[in-house]
Amino acid sequence: MRIFLFVLNGLGVGSLPDYSKYDKEYYCTSLNIKCIDDLTTLNKLGLKKCCLDLEAKNSLGYCFRGRSLSIDSTFESGLNEILGNVTFNNSPKVENLVDVLKRHNVGVTFISSRENSIAEHIYCDDKAVFENVNSSTNKDSVVIAELNDFAKAGLVGDTEGMETAIKFADKKIAEIISHLTYNDILILTGNFGVNPLKIGITREYNPIFILSKIARGNSVLKTIQGNDSIAMTIVNLLNIYPNSKSIVDDSFVEKMQNNGLYYKGDRIIGSIGKVKELKVPIARERKTKDKSKTNDKK
């Protein structure tokens, strides 16, 4: 199983309940992007739905509104919550998701376009991040990519730069989706919001999209309390630590853990682990037999 986790900083979908402590009015970053209707991929995943747009269609995969429980609204605090708070068997020890995966011999690639990020590999912009997303391995692996160009532009009041960055991300995410196999999962989330007019970070819900080719999503929009649920979902899917904080339901997990049928050359591999060879098409055999019988009668 390969899991691709993209964190798109600044992609807020509406103020958190405590916004009045920080902002005078309700704000939704996504709905204030002039090009939101042009974001074909993000809208198919459920961006407008997360913004509580009543006319939004059902999403392709699982679609949620995430509520950060961190008091701070920064790049670091948001990312730490998404990757952190991974606890096992009520242990007081809290581990970063990356450390947990490495300890269980799961291949991890952690990249970012932010200079001060905790990622292992830092690049100058989102373009370089997408170019370095490793999708060649077929073993259990996780790719974590922090995208920052959208938030960077917003924090200097560059609205055109925000539109350019989000359109580019939308296009590249579409390419990632087109190359997903039946063993792949895409998880895309946001981290805080950005108001380019006030030039600052806003406290907002973040979208959480989970997409797989063999597991269909939910039609009811739910709110997830605590973005650490994303990390707990990943360790659940990889069967490292099944837990109740996982966002996806049991049916999704079962389908991803070898319960679906998929083709491999001329074989069909089923959930029971047996391999059946495909036989010669029956229709062809019948035609041959019928023809021979006709000749015998003649």
Side-chain angles (χ1 to χ4, degrees):
M1 182 186 300
R2 299 185 304 175
I3 299 177
F4 297 88
L5 170 60
F6 290 91
V7 181
L8 211 166
N9 283 325
L11 194 65
V13 290
S15 293
L16 290 172
D18 63 352
Y19 76 89
S20 59
K21 295 181 181 179
Y22 308 88
D23 300 302
K24 293 182 179 180
E25 56 188 21
Y26 181 92
Y27 188 79
C28 178
T29 302
S30 295
L31 289 182
N32 279 279
I33 307 171
K34 292 182 180 179
C35 66
I36 187 170
D37 290 329
D38 299 327
L39 304 178
T40 306
T41 308
L42 289 174
N43 282 320
K44 284 182 178 180
L45 290 174
L47 181 59
K48 281 191 174 182
K49 187 176 180 181
C50 285
C51 295
L52 305 183
D53 185 335
L54 298 178
E55 297 182 357
K57 299 180 180 179
N58 286 337
S59 57
L60 288 178
Y62 282 62
C63 174
F64 307 94
R65 278 163 62 93
R67 179 180 179 179
S68 174
L69 299 182
S70 173
I71 299 175
D72 300 325
S73 293
T74 63
F75 287 86
E76 293 77 12
S77 62
L79 184 61
N80 286 336
E81 183 170 324
I82 292 170
L83 300 180
N85 299 332
V86 183
T87 59
F88 299 93
N89 299 322
N90 296 320
S91 168
K93 182 179 181 180
V94 177
E95 297 181 273
N96 182 286
L97 174 64
V98 177
D99 296 329
V100 172
L101 295 175
K102 287 182 176 180
R103 183 159 56 82
H104 286 82
N105 299 316
V106 176
V108 184
T109 301
F110 188 12
I111 56 183
S112 174
S113 58
R114 182 167 59 90
E115 184 178 353
N116 297 322
S117 174
I118 60 174
E120 295 175 311
H121 305 284
I122 309 295
Y123 298 98
C124 59
D125 54 24
D126 290 351
K127 180 180 178 181
V129 168
F130 279 109
E131 288 175 349
N132 286 277
V133 170
N134 182 11
S135 60
S136 60
T137 179
N138 291 318
K139 298 180 179 179
D140 284 352
S141 60
V142 177
V143 175
I144 303 170
E146 185 188 25
L147 306 172
N148 299 276
D149 288 358
F150 179 74
K152 287 178 181 177
L155 290 175
V156 295
D158 182 3
T159 56
E160 291 185 4
M162 291 177 71
E163 291 192 23
T164 299
I166 200 67
K167 284 182 178 179
F168 176 77
D170 188 80
K171 178 182 177 182
K172 301 305 290 187
I173 291 167
E175 294 177 7
I176 295 291
I177 292 175
S178 68
H179 289 91
L180 292 179
T181 71
Y182 286 97
N183 292 324
D184 295 338
I185 298 174
L186 171 71
I187 302 177
L188 174 65
T189 186
N191 181 10
F192 60 82
V194 177
N195 187 337
L197 300 179
K198 295 184 178 181
I199 309 182
I201 289 177
T202 54
R203 288 181 61 78
E204 298 183 45
Y205 288 96
N206 55 283
I208 302 175
F209 309 127
I210 303 178
L211 182 66
S212 162
K213 286 190 174 182
I214 66 172
R216 299 182 66 85
N218 59 318
S219 59
V220 180
L221 182 63
K222 298 179 181 179
T223 297
I224 304 301
Q225 302 293 333
N227 285 320
D228 58 311
S229 295
I230 296 173
M232 298 308 287
T233 298
I234 292 174
V235 295
N236 182 37
L237 288 167
L238 292 171
N239 206 26
I240 292 175
Y241 181 62
N243 63 89
S244 60
K245 290 208 69 174
S246 175
I247 299 173
V248 296
D249 53 34
D250 292 339
S251 63
F252 185 104
V253 177
E254 289 174 1
K255 288 178 181 178
M256 292 309 303
Q257 292 177 351
N258 298 325
N259 275 343
L261 293 177
Y262 65 97
Y263 286 93
K264 184 178 181 182
D266 60 347
R267 298 180 177 182
I268 297 179
I269 302 178
S271 60
I272 57 176
K274 295 181 180 179
V275 178
K276 299 180 180 180
E277 295 289 347
L278 288 176
K279 296 181 179 180
V280 178
I282 296 175
R284 185 182 301 172
E285 291 179 354
R286 285 178 178 171
K287 285 183 178 180
T288 303
K289 290 181 180 179
D290 292 342
K291 185 176 181 181
S292 61
K293 287 181 180 179
T294 303
N295 292 334
D296 291 340
K297 290 180 178 179
K298 290 181 178 180

